[in-house]
Amino acid sequence: MIGADWQAAVPVLEHWRACHGDRLALMVDANQALDRTQALQAVRTRREFGLLWLEEPLAADAPADDWCAVADAAGDELPLAAGENLRGAAAFERAIESGAVRVLQPDVIKWGGF
């Protein structure tokens, strides 16, 4: 989890890649802490680390335009993941229909369990 300070996360990601090379899949969780500008900055540096996905770069209720802009900048190489903080079927439908979220992560505990 990187939170709002993407620049502070960069040395950590560099360390992990230096120590483990491509043997490990790295995924980063921003924990809804980035705004649109910060999220766009984060996706621009993705190629350095070969991230598998970027999780919750924006707040779950951020405008769809922000999610789509970040997804467009991330391209096919860096899918956006989200879902644990989406509430209700309508929110999931909007996320799916927007095409911005490519890794859906519903939290079954928040939805009442199995």
Side-chain angles (χ1 to χ4, degrees):
M1 186 175 330
I2 63 165
D5 192 353
W6 175 258
Q7 291 308 316
V10 169
V12 175
L13 293 168
E14 288 172 342
H15 174 78
W16 275 89
R17 269 297 167 237
C19 290
H20 302 287
D22 292 332
R23 295 178 310 190
L24 295 178
L26 292 179
M27 296 143 281
V28 173
D29 184 352
N31 204 29
Q32 304 185 84
L34 305 177
D35 62 24
R36 180 180 175 145
T37 301
Q38 293 166 323
L40 289 169
Q41 177 188 9
V43 299
R44 285 187 199 108
T45 61
R46 71 191 179 275
R47 287 184 183 93
E48 296 176 52
F49 308 112
L51 299 176
L52 190 59
W53 70 59
L54 176 59
E55 183 176 343
E56 294 188 323
L58 301 167
D61 61 354
D65 289 348
D66 288 357
W67 277 96
C68 289
V70 175
D72 287 347
D76 292 333
E77 298 151 2
L78 183 63
L80 301 185
E84 66 185 317
N85 291 296
L86 292 175
R87 299 279 186 232
F92 273 94
E93 288 174 19
R94 283 191 301 274
I96 293 166
E97 288 171 3
S98 76
V101 178
R102 295 194 15 233
V103 180
L104 286 171
Q105 302 171 310
D107 187 324
V108 295
I109 300 302
K110 291 179 182 177
W111 279 75
F114 286 104

